[in-house]
Amino acid sequence: MHIADLLRGLDYFGTVVFAISGALVAARKGMDWMGFAILATVTGIGGGTLRDLILDRPVFWVSHWEYIVLCVLTSLVTFYFVPHIRRRYSWLLWADAIGLAVFSVLGVQIALSTGTSPFIAIIMGMMTAAFGGLIRDVLAGEPPLLLHREIYASAALSGGVVYALLVVVLHQPIWALVLGFIVALVVR
């Protein structure tokens, strides 16, 4: 398997788990299937969309529409299965933590690939990881997790720093992915 295949797989995975977290917030708010689809989609692709706009690169889902399809399908599956999930909030926290860990390292990787400095790339990783959830919470009328006392942006920052250091200094992209993900997840 090539690194590009691994990155694409992680990107799809992160999109799905963030879409689940958006759909679970919609469930908590008692929304209909359209509310599920909207919150799942903005959570799944919101941070990456903002990153791409700031980096002045094509927004990824415009040419790769499968991200929208993944979010909507995930929202519909969650819509139909959520009545059977007893502990939705713990599922939400786990889905959100996993998505944050994945996107903190992928955001840094994408930013570095555009030629940005490691410092800016780390900020882009944090933004990629945290801002889909921020948009979700604002649309749902909830105080954003990003602004709670919980460790959120700091976890994304930690994972991004580890990733950037391992890639830029030691040139170890696979270890950077693994350790950056683990650090962000554990800190979260």
Side-chain angles (χ1 to χ4, degrees):
M1 177 181 348
H2 292 95
I3 186 80
D5 296 330
L6 177 63
L7 293 172
R8 179 61 59 111
L10 284 173
D11 205 14
Y12 288 155
F13 177 74
T15 300
V16 167
V17 295
F18 261 177
I20 291 169
S21 80
L24 289 172
V25 170
R28 196 168 65 231
K29 293 294 190 173
M31 295 181 177
D32 65 5
W33 68 270
M34 183 60 77
F36 271 66
I38 290 169
L39 288 188
T41 302
V42 300
T43 310
I45 65 171
T49 300
L50 187 58
R51 175 205 61 229
D52 288 350
L53 291 171
I54 290 172
L55 291 174
D56 196 27
R57 64 185 295 244
V59 176
F60 69 99
W61 53 264
V62 172
S63 59
H64 296 282
W65 52 267
E66 66 270 17
Y67 287 94
I68 302 291
V69 172
L70 276 172
C71 290
V72 172
L73 288 177
T74 299
S75 75
L76 294 176
V77 169
T78 307
F79 179 78
Y80 287 106
F81 283 104
V82 81
H84 307 293
I85 300 172
R86 295 190 190 281
R87 305 175 89 181
R88 283 184 233 155
Y89 190 69
S90 65
W91 279 86
L92 167 65
L93 292 178
W94 274 106
D96 205 64
I98 292 167
L100 181 120
V102 168
F103 285 150
S104 67
V105 295
L106 290 181
V108 174
Q109 186 274 329
I110 289 167
L112 286 172
S113 75
T114 67
T116 63
S117 71
F119 177 74
I120 295 300
I122 291 166
I123 292 170
M124 291 296 108
M126 186 171 55
M127 183 178 296
T128 304
F131 278 57
L134 175 74
I135 297 166
R136 171 201 66 209
D137 293 343
V138 169
L139 289 177
E142 293 191 347
L145 270 177
L146 182 64
L147 304 177
H148 283 182
R149 295 184 75 159
E150 284 187 51
I151 297 171
Y152 199 81
S154 305
L157 179 67
S158 300
V161 166
V162 168
Y163 179 84
L165 284 173
L166 288 172
V167 166
V168 173
V169 176
L170 300 177
H171 308 289
Q172 296 292 322
I174 299 293
W175 282 108
L177 279 172
V178 172
L179 294 176
F181 172 85
I182 291 170
V183 166
L185 187 63
V186 168
V187 171
R188 174 70 176 102

